[in-house]
């Protein structure tokens, strides 16, 4: 009986392929990042100084790469650095982007799920159509739309809403518009996948019991689509934190996010150890809360069983 419960070679292969992929393309590169974040820049052929002192047999870990992220100089105040500001700004933009995508994407996903099966493929194609064009072209298109002499400002002046161009580009507005537009499909698709499986007869039952349309939606539809909301929120929030292209093209000096800071440290300052330390901290800011969340939700699910 014990032998029969062991997975077959085919099952082991299918299970092992994702693990090998994660080890090769995530875990090993992360270990390289972690290694570089604790060393110093070298002056010879090797770009980094060795982490192991062969004479003393001790590890020479440069914690300053991490310490300088949170404190500027000796005796400086904690958490008042450019890096901390960039982290907080990135988290704020990512949170706003995820909430905007949820506000826009949920009605769209709900409409697709409730529409006729014959038109769903066309509606889903509309959601995925932006992926057929270049990411840079889509961002540059918004740059032309939001510019001082762009399409939007010309339309507003033509309609008489304003007599002079409104500063839209290189502001929070352009940042959030661009990020919401780019990441909206990542919210719509998981929501649709969740809502399309919902039994809409439950809404009819709620109406028969006297619930208003809004109350039925809030007490029935939203709880049943919780998994899709969480999946879409994470698919939008996680890549938004490290976004680089959109802040560079649509943002201004006040909209610098951590992705741009890492780029400047690596390719402008040529300080790879600090750049990798910034990347490691950014990964920890995302992975650790996710791990805690899934740990407690998993325990709650087990307790419910």
């Amino acid at each position: 009986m014990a032998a029969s419960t062991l997975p077959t070679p085919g099952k082991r292969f299918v299970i092992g392929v994702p693990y090998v992929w994660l080890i090769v393309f995530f875990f090993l590169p992360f270990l390289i990042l972690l290694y570089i974040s604790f060393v110093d820049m070298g002056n010879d052929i090797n770009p980094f100084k060795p982490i192991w002192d062969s004479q003393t047999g001790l590890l020479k870990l440069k914690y300053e790469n991490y310490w300088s992220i949170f404190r500027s100089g000796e005796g400086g105040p904690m958490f008042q650095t450019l890096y901390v500001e960039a982290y907080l700004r990135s988290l704020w933009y990512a949170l706003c982007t995820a909430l905007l995508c949820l506000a826009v994407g949920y009605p769209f996903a709900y409409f697709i799920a409730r529409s006729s099966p014959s038109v769903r493929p066309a509606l889903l194609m509309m959601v995925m159509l932006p992926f057929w064009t270049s990411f840079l072209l889509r961002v540059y298109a918004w740059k032309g739309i939001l510019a001082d002499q762009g399409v939007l400002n010309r339309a507003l002046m033509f309609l008489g809403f304003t007599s002079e161009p409104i500063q839209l580009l290189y502001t929070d507005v352009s940042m959030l518009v661009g990020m919401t537009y780019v990441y909206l499909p990542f919210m719509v698709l998981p929501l649709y996948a969740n809502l399309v499986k919902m039994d809409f007869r439950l809404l009819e039952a709620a109406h028969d019991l006297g619930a208003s349309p809004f109350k039925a939606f809030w007490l029935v539809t939203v709880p049943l689509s919780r998994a899709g909301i969480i999946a879409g929120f994470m698919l939008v929030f996680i890549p938004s934190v490290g976004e680089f292209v959109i802040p560079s093209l649509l943002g201004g000096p006040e909209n610098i996010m951590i992705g741009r800071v890492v780029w400047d440290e690596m390719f402008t300052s040529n300080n790879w150890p600090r750049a990798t330390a910034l990347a490691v901290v950014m990964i920890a800011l995302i992975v650790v809360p996710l791990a805690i969340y899934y740990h407690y939700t998993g325990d709650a699910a087990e307790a419910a069983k």
Side-chain angles (χ1 to χ4, degrees):
M1 293 294 293
S4 63
T5 60
L6 294 176
T8 63
K11 290 183 179 180
R12 287 199 295 268
F13 175 78
V14 172
I15 296 172
V17 168
Y19 282 100
V20 172
W21 178 275
L22 289 174
I23 291 172
V24 173
F25 293 104
F26 178 77
F27 186 67
L28 292 180
F30 178 75
L31 290 181
I32 295 173
L33 281 178
L34 195 62
Y35 165 76
I36 296 175
S37 68
F38 282 107
V39 300
D40 201 355
M41 296 295 294
N43 298 320
D44 50 10
I45 298 177
N46 188 351
F48 308 111
K49 292 183 179 179
I51 197 172
W52 174 264
D53 191 340
S54 57
Q55 296 181 351
T56 61
L58 300 175
L59 288 175
K60 297 190 297 182
L61 301 178
K62 188 177 180 182
Y63 299 101
E64 179 63 24
N65 295 328
Y66 287 93
W67 190 249
S68 60
I69 295 175
F70 305 102
R71 170 175 287 182
S72 56
E74 288 290 338
M78 289 288 291
F79 306 114
Q80 295 185 18
T81 64
L82 169 67
Y83 310 116
V84 174
E85 292 178 3
Y87 280 127
L88 296 177
R89 191 178 300 114
S90 300
L91 292 172
W92 172 248
Y93 280 130
L95 178 62
C96 292
T97 301
L99 293 176
L100 286 172
C101 286
L102 179 61
V104 176
Y106 199 104
F108 195 11
Y110 187 81
F111 172 74
I112 298 175
R114 293 298 300 266
S115 61
S116 173
S118 60
V119 300
R120 285 178 193 168
L123 294 175
L124 288 173
M125 183 174 291
M126 291 175 58
V127 175
M128 295 182 289
L129 197 61
F131 290 118
W132 295 8
T133 57
S134 169
F135 179 84
L136 285 175
L137 288 178
R138 286 183 281 149
V139 178
Y140 269 113
W142 277 107
K143 194 170 184 178
I145 293 172
L146 300 174
D148 290 346
Q149 297 301 323
V151 176
L152 184 56
N153 267 312
R154 286 180 178 271
L156 292 175
M157 289 188 290
F158 176 78
L159 295 173
F161 289 105
T162 179
S163 58
E164 58 184 15
I166 302 174
Q167 178 66 37
L168 297 174
L169 195 59
Y170 309 125
T171 63
D172 291 342
V173 173
S174 59
M175 286 277 295
L176 293 176
V177 167
M179 294 177 69
T180 302
Y181 166 75
V182 167
Y183 290 109
L184 184 60
F186 295 97
M187 178 66 74
V188 173
L189 293 177
L191 282 172
Y192 163 76
N194 188 266
L195 289 170
V196 76
K197 297 182 293 184
M198 176 181 164
D199 187 356
F200 289 102
R201 292 177 299 179
L202 296 173
L203 295 179
E204 298 177 4
H207 294 156
D208 293 340
L209 294 173
S212 63
F214 176 78
K215 191 172 183 179
F217 169 79
W218 185 252
L219 297 179
V220 178
T221 305
V222 172
L224 291 177
S225 59
R226 178 172 172 268
I229 294 173
I230 295 174
F233 193 92
M234 293 303 165
L235 285 175
V236 173
F237 180 82
I238 292 174
S240 296
V241 173
E243 180 59 51
F244 169 75
V245 175
I246 295 175
S248 298
L249 297 179
L250 301 182
E254 302 298 325
N255 310 113
I256 296 178
M257 296 175 64
I258 194 62
R260 179 58 186 268
V261 175
V262 172
W263 169 276
D264 290 339
E265 287 290 340
M266 183 165 286
F267 297 106
T268 303
S269 303
N270 199 30
N271 192 341
W272 285 43
R274 181 174 293 172
T276 54
L278 289 167
V280 170
V281 173
M282 181 173 63
I283 293 172
L285 285 175
I286 298 172
V287 173
V288 172
L290 279 178
I292 295 173
Y293 169 78
Y294 283 114
H295 172 72
Y296 284 105
T297 54
D299 289 346
E302 289 294 330
K305 293 179 180 180

